Amino acid sequence: MAEKTIIIINLILQCVLIAAVLAAGYLAKIKHQLKAHCLMLRIAIPVQVAAIGAIMLPAMLGYIQRGNRTPFFNAAMLVHHILGLAVVALWVYINLVFQGTIKGFGELKIAMRSTFFLWIIVLLMGIYLYLVTWVL
């Protein structure tokens, strides 16, 4: 499969995942269905981790090997990947606190909302990287 096709599939997957996260937020905040909220996120994040390992990491390594990108693009790509991994780490933290495995600090809602907004930022950065690479 062509590299651009794989990237487009990933972009579509990321939009589906963010829609799932928005739906999960709706279930928690409006419908007060926390079990369904947690289930949706416990599916979305492993799918995200699989996409990181199968698509995004190889793409990033390909960009690094080619070395024909601007320093700003390379910095944006690095920040995008670091923040994406931070989203996954925060999700793990939230789950461990929620399950009572570890004791959390602060209000869990703040961590949840921060993770959501961070995920949105990462998605927007990913769209920027896509546009710079394949469209502009």
Side-chain angles (χ1 to χ4, degrees):
M1 197 177 303
E3 183 181 18
K4 187 173 182 179
T5 303
I6 293 169
I7 300 301
I8 290 171
I9 290 169
N10 183 55
L11 185 61
I12 292 167
L13 174 63
Q14 295 307 311
C15 292
V16 169
L17 286 173
I18 208 67
V21 169
L22 289 169
Y26 171 80
L27 288 172
K29 191 164 180 79
I30 307 299
K31 295 291 186 174
H32 306 287
Q33 296 177 0
L34 293 179
K35 280 188 177 186
H37 166 82
C38 291
L39 176 63
M40 286 185 78
L41 290 176
R42 287 190 176 133
I43 293 169
I45 294 292
V47 170
Q48 179 67 14
V49 170
I52 289 169
I55 300 169
M56 293 181 217
L57 180 61
M60 182 181 79
L61 295 175
Y63 288 138
I64 290 170
Q65 287 175 348
R66 283 185 228 146
N68 60 349
R69 299 290 177 195
T70 67
F72 180 77
F73 179 90
N74 290 338
M77 182 176 53
L78 185 60
V79 169
H80 168 75
H81 283 276
I82 290 170
L83 293 179
L85 293 174
V87 167
V88 173
L90 283 166
W91 176 81
V92 169
Y93 164 77
I94 291 164
N95 271 279
L96 292 174
V97 172
F98 195 74
Q99 292 174 346
T101 306
I102 64 171
K103 184 171 172 47
F105 56 91
E107 213 176 311
L108 202 52
K109 276 187 195 178
I110 293 171
M112 291 175 180
R113 288 181 181 149
S114 298
T115 303
F116 169 73
F117 287 114
L118 192 58
W119 199 341
I120 295 293
I121 291 168
V122 171
L123 175 65
L124 293 174
M125 289 182 76
I127 291 170
Y128 163 78
L129 294 170
Y130 168 79
L131 290 172
V132 167
T133 302
W134 298 104
V135 178
L136 303 177

